[in-house]
C-alpha cells in the first residue's frame, strides 16, 4: 500500500461551496473541522460511484472547479495535499487533472487517512475504505473530457518503438512507454511498483509517491525545466525523450 512520507496527517477542513452553504475540504492544516451537516445538500441520485457522491457534496460534481479559494477539483484538494499524495504526476493542480486522476489521488489519501479526510461528505456519500478503493479510477475517465494537463489525448495501447504521441497529455500510451523504458510489465497505467522503478532509475527515494523531488529529477533527466511541478511541458519533454530512447 502506497503511503505518503510527509511527516504530518492531512485532515480535511473548510466549509465553503460554490452554490451550497457548506462543505468539507482537504488541507494540510491541523485545525478542527467546522462544517455542519445541516448545511449540506444530500448526494444526488444520478451519482454513479461513491466518489461521484463525494464530489456532489464537495463541489456540486464539478471536477474542473477552481474558484480561487485555494481548493481545487471535484474533491476539493488543497494544493499541498494534491502534491503530497502524488497528484503532480497527472497535473500541476487537481482541477487540471481528469476525473480519473483525481479519484486515483483521492484513493491514496483514503489509504492514509480513511474517510475522515472528507469528514462530512464521506458520511453523506457513504464512503468507506473498501468501496472507495474498489472504484477503478481510469474507467471513470471513459466519458470525462478532463482538463488542462491531462486532456483527452494519449489513448493508444501498448507502445511500439518511437510511436508515443507528443501531445503533453499523460495517458495509457505514455504510461506504457514509461513502463517499457523502466523494464516493467506494460499495462498502460503507472502502478506503485512502476513509480518505485522510476524513482530508482532517477536515483531518488523509492517510496512510490511522485512528488516534487521525483518530478524535478525526471525533469532534469528528460531535459525539462526542473521546477518540481509536473505539467504538460514536462509530459511533452518526457514523450520526446521516450521516442528517442525506445
Amino acid at each position: 500500500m502506497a503511503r505518503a512520507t510527509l511527516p504530518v496527517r492531512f485532515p480535511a477542513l473548510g466549509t465553503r461551496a460554490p452554490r451550497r452553504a457548506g462543505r468539507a475540504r482537504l488541507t494540510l492544516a491541523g485545525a478542527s473541522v467546522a462544517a455542519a451537516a445541516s448545511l449540506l445538500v444530500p448526494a444526488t441520485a444520478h451519482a454513479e460511484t461513491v466518489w461521484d457522491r463525494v464530489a456532489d457534496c464537495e463541489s456540486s460534481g464539478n471536477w474542473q472547479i477552481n474558484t480561487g479559494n485555494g481548493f481545487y477539483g471535484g474533491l476539493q484538494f488543497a494544493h499541498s495535499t494534491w502534491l503530497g499524495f502524488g497528484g503532480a504526476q497527472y497535473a500541476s493542480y487537481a482541477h487540471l487533472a481528469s476525473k480519473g486522476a483525481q479519484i486515483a489521488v483521492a484513493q491514496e489519501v483514503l489509504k492514509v487517512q480513511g474517510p475522515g479526510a472528507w469528514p462530512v461528505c464521506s458520511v453523506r456519500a457513504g464512503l468507506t475504505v473498501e468501496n472507495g478503493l474498489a472504484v477503478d479510477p481510469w474507467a471513470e475517465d471513459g466519458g470525462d473530457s478532463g482538463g488542462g494537463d491531462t486532456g483527452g489525448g494519449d489513448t493508444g495501447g501498448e507502445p511500439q518503438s518511437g510511436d508515443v504521441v507528443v501531445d503533453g497529455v499523460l495517458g495509457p500510451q505514455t504510461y506504457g512507454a514509461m513502463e517499457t523504458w523502466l523494464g516493467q510489465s506494460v499495462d498502460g497505467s503507472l502502478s506503485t511498483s512502476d513509480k518505485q522503478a522510476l524513482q530508482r532509475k532517477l536515483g531518488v527515494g523509492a517510496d512510490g509517491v511522485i512528488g516534487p523531488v521525483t518530478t524535478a529529477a525526471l525533469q532534469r533527466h528528460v531535459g525539462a525545466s526542473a521546477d518540481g511541478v509536473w505539467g504538460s511541458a514536462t509530459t511533452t519533454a518526457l514523450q520526446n525523450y521516450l521516442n528517442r530512447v525506445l
Side-chain angles (χ1 to χ4, degrees):
M1 178 173 65
R3 297 178 66 89
T5 58
L6 301 179
V8 294
R9 185 173 173 82
F10 301 82
L13 295 175
T15 56
R16 198 212 54 76
R19 62 182 176 87
R20 294 175 183 156
R23 162 179 102 257
R25 266 188 219 98
L26 299 178
T27 181
L28 288 170
S32 60
V33 176
S38 62
L39 297 177
L40 296 173
V41 176
T44 57
H46 72 271
E48 296 178 358
T49 74
V50 68
W51 291 113
D52 287 299
R53 296 195 295 272
V54 174
D56 281 337
C57 176
E58 292 284 350
S59 64
S60 303
N62 184 348
W63 293 89
Q64 272 67 59
I65 193 169
N66 173 18
T67 63
N69 68 341
F71 300 92
Y72 307 91
L75 301 173
Q76 290 292 273
F77 289 94
H79 188 44
S80 51
T81 303
W82 177 254
L83 296 179
F85 283 91
Q89 67 184 294
Y90 306 114
S92 52
Y93 285 83
H95 70 288
L96 298 175
S98 68
K99 175 182 175 181
Q102 291 180 51
I103 292 173
V105 175
Q107 288 175 327
E108 296 304 311
V109 176
L110 186 66
K111 292 174 185 177
V112 175
Q113 290 185 238
W118 301 266
V120 176
C121 289
S122 63
V123 176
R124 287 282 180 178
L127 175 68
T128 66
V129 172
E130 291 74 19
N131 65 21
L133 296 181
V135 174
D136 177 1
W138 309 118
E140 293 303 297
D141 273 346
D144 182 30
S145 63
D149 298 344
T150 58
D154 194 34
T155 57
E158 181 174 334
Q160 304 300 317
S161 255
D163 74 346
V164 179
V165 176
V166 180
D167 58 3
V169 176
L170 283 171
Q173 188 186 75
T174 301
Y175 289 141
M178 289 178 70
E179 289 170 320
T180 300
W181 171 51
L182 296 169
Q184 299 286 102
S185 297
V186 177
D187 62 8
S189 65
L190 209 62
S191 67
T192 298
S193 64
D194 293 335
K195 296 172 190 176
Q196 290 170 327
L198 174 63
Q199 290 170 322
R200 287 191 294 269
K201 194 173 191 73
L202 297 172
V204 298
D207 61 1
V209 177
I210 298 181
V213 173
T214 301
T215 300
L218 177 68
Q219 288 168 329
R220 287 189 291 270
H221 193 89
V222 301
S225 177
D227 60 5
V229 177
W230 193 325
S232 60
T234 299
T235 302
T236 298
L238 171 63
Q239 289 166 334
N240 280 317
Y241 175 82
L242 291 170
N243 278 336
R244 291 196 302 270
V245 301
L246 290 181

